Amino acid sequence: MKILFLDQSGKPGGAELCLVDIAKPYRDRCLVGLFADGSFRNLLEQNQIPVEVLTTHQIQVRKESSLAQGLSSIAQIAPLIAKVVQKASNYDLIYANTQKALVVGALASFFSQRPLVYHLHDILSPEHFSKTNRRIAVTCANRFASLVIANSQASKTAFIAAGGRSEITEVVYNGFDPKIYQIQESEIHHIKQQLGLDGQFVVGHFSRLAPWKGQHILIEALAQCPQEVTVLLVGDALFGEQDYIQHLHQLVTELDVDKRVKFLGFRSDIPLLMAACDLVAHTSTSPEPFGRVIVEAMLSGTRVVAAKAGGAIELVEPGKSGFLVTPGDPQELAQVIITCLKEKEKTANIANKARMTATQRFDVTQTNQQIAQLLSRLPV
Ligand code: UDP
């Protein structure tokens, strides 16, 4: 089966990293069409996945856009749709990996008569999307998609609540290669030394810097923890959240924890950094659609605490594979950090069990098989 994948982003967020794993088995018979240029293109190239930047014009519609803005952007994307229609003639199906890719893919699927698959990586709720954007996504998916792959039960439920058709929607979790998360003790020792983390209890946060990802909650929690606790903030503002970065720097100064917080920026050595942490904290203040970082922490054998909402609830069994806390509550988070610090052995056992469970539940070979099976049922 030849697949034309579409993704709007030039930067590698969770949806894009998931797409790399999905496209790999099709690398000799697929194309990833991007609507922006950037480091995501390089990542695809490094993985020998054919990629082409189909437009460099920014599509103006944003997550909170109104109907008028949405309609005017359709006129803007007409040349892009024409290009996708032309490309699609060489492929058996169109696989839209993001919302703007869905809109373009829906129209291109209509004109090219190729089936459309929509991989839903979002929770289509008012917290994340305007009413107009939810309506556009649901209408395009209902009318044009033969299959919607939701990245969690939470994403599927929100899609159906927004009017999406349940009979075309299947849940497939993100898959991972567990081998990547097996790191040698000597490497951990080396990176800890390099980052000046020796003797510290290290809490890592791995996410783009954005208000809803809640890095500020972790900083507020840190201020209530003993001095030996240090925080690593790994990730950058992918979508222009510069004000938030400034806010975080102000907050660490105000709370007098500037010596205990390290901003590492965007990194490509996530498994190594996670292995060097004693605890990974996920602190999203709005429901997380899936939460790749939660599974990655488990695969690393590192303790994990996640905000109790959305997909995170499906990933973590409290007390058995990690911890769940009320979203936006720094005090509760601080309590879990202190528990992990005081009860190192007991909580390390939980992390070891989580590693085994995650290795079974989220193996990329299995998730890719699930997707291949779903695609094989399509009328191509
Ligand atoms: N990530 C990364 N480098 C960074 C920060 C994060 O590669 O500096 C990765 C992280 O390991 C995870 C992904 O970005 O695989 C984020 O996915 P998640 O589902 O947690 O959040 P999303 O970006 O989809 O909102």
Side-chain angles (χ1 to χ4, degrees):
M1 184 181 290
K2 294 172 75 183
I3 306 181
L4 175 60
F5 293 102
L6 299 176
D7 192 294
Q8 73 201 44
S9 181
K11 295 175 184 169
E16 288 68 37
L17 294 170
C18 173
L19 181 61
V20 171
D21 287 323
I22 291 171
K24 259 187 213 168
Y26 299 94
R27 51 163 70 114
D28 59 341
R29 58 211 138 101
C30 79
L31 175 68
V32 179
L34 301 182
F35 304 169
D37 200 0
S39 53
F40 180 37
R41 176 174 57 78
N42 306 122
L43 184 65
L44 289 161
E45 284 168 352
Q46 279 159 23
N47 282 280
Q48 287 101 44
I49 297 167
V51 54
E52 197 177 319
V53 178
L54 301 178
T55 180
T56 46
H57 290 286
Q58 213 190 341
I59 302 173
Q60 292 303 340
V61 65
R62 299 186 73 84
K63 283 190 171 184
E64 60 284 355
S65 287
S66 68
L67 185 59
Q69 285 165 320
L71 288 175
S72 82
S73 67
I74 290 195
Q76 273 174 39
I77 57 175
L80 174 61
I81 293 167
K83 205 166 187 178
V84 174
V85 170
Q86 183 231 326
K87 294 274 171 210
S89 64
N90 297 319
Y91 295 89
D92 300 313
L93 73 87
I94 300 173
Y95 192 114
N97 197 51
T98 56
Q99 276 217 33
K100 287 176 195 168
L102 168 66
V103 176
V104 172
L107 295 167
S109 138
F110 176 74
F111 290 117
S112 64
Q113 293 295 296
R114 295 293 186 275
L116 174 72
V117 173
Y118 175 36
H119 200 138
L120 173 65
H121 295 277
D122 294 308
I123 291 195
L124 293 179
S125 67
E127 282 149 302
H128 289 282
F129 294 96
S130 71
K131 195 173 172 188
T132 306
N133 277 359
R134 277 180 282 146
R135 203 184 297 159
I136 290 174
V138 166
T139 306
C140 286
N142 281 354
R143 169 76 182 78
F144 298 101
S146 307
L147 169 67
V148 175
I149 297 175
N151 66 351
S152 66
Q153 192 57 50
S155 296
K156 177 179 174 175
T157 304
F159 175 67
I160 294 167
R165 285 165 58 201
S166 64
E167 68 277 17
I168 58 167
T169 311
E170 300 284 347
V171 174
V172 180
Y173 289 135
N174 281 206
F176 301 81
D177 179 357
K179 287 196 294 296
I180 297 173
Y181 299 88
Q182 288 164 10
I183 306 290
Q184 302 290 325
E185 274 304 320
S186 57
E187 292 176 82
I188 298 174
H189 179 71
H190 185 243
I191 188 82
K192 277 186 133 177
Q193 254 188 346
Q194 210 179 48
L195 295 173
L197 299 173
D198 282 334
Q200 299 293 303
F201 186 86
V202 183
V203 184
H205 194 291
F206 297 77
S207 171
R208 60 199 149 92
L209 302 178
W212 80 273
K213 289 291 188 179
Q215 281 87 354
H216 58 285
I217 304 293
L218 178 56
I219 294 171
E220 286 166 23
L222 175 68
Q224 301 173 35
C225 292
Q227 287 295 321
E228 65 203 280
V229 180
T230 289
V231 161
L232 289 188
L233 293 183
V234 184
D236 207 347
L238 289 190
F239 306 112
E241 296 95 343
Q242 295 307 322
D243 291 353
Y244 185 58
I245 299 188
Q246 217 179 333
H247 169 69
L248 292 177
H249 282 284
Q250 270 166 6
L251 191 64
V252 294
T253 311
E254 268 166 35
L255 296 176
D256 197 19
V257 290
D258 34 1
K259 292 199 175 61
R260 295 163 61 203
V261 178
K262 292 183 195 298
F263 290 82
L264 299 192
F266 186 87
R267 302 276 296 221
S268 305
D269 52 352
I270 299 299
L272 176 63
L273 291 171
M274 280 200 177
C277 290
D278 297 289
L279 170 69
V280 168
H282 162 272
T283 56
S284 295
T285 54
S286 297
E288 186 73 56
F290 178 75
R292 289 176 61 85
V293 291
I294 300 167
V295 178
E296 289 173 308
M298 289 177 176
L299 292 171
S300 305
T302 303
R303 304 164 186 88
V304 63
V305 54
K308 190 178 177 182
I313 298 172
E314 297 162 54
L315 308 180
V316 178
E317 212 181 330
K320 290 200 170 151
S321 55
F323 302 89
L324 290 174
V325 289
T326 310
D329 187 337
Q331 231 150 357
E332 213 179 310
L333 179 60
Q335 280 313 312
V336 171
I337 297 172
I338 292 165
T339 301
C340 290
L341 174 67
K342 286 192 176 152
E343 299 177 29
K344 284 203 182 105
E345 201 172 321
K346 187 173 158 199
T347 52
N349 285 338
I350 294 176
N352 285 334
K353 278 196 203 120
R355 184 177 221 161
M356 285 191 282
T357 320
T359 303
Q360 282 165 5
R361 281 184 81 197
F362 305 104
D363 189 309
V364 71
T365 316
Q366 279 169 35
T367 51
N368 277 347
Q369 265 169 15
Q370 273 176 281
I371 291 179
Q373 218 162 41
L374 291 171
L375 298 185
S376 72
R377 290 192 215 146
L378 297 176
V380 291

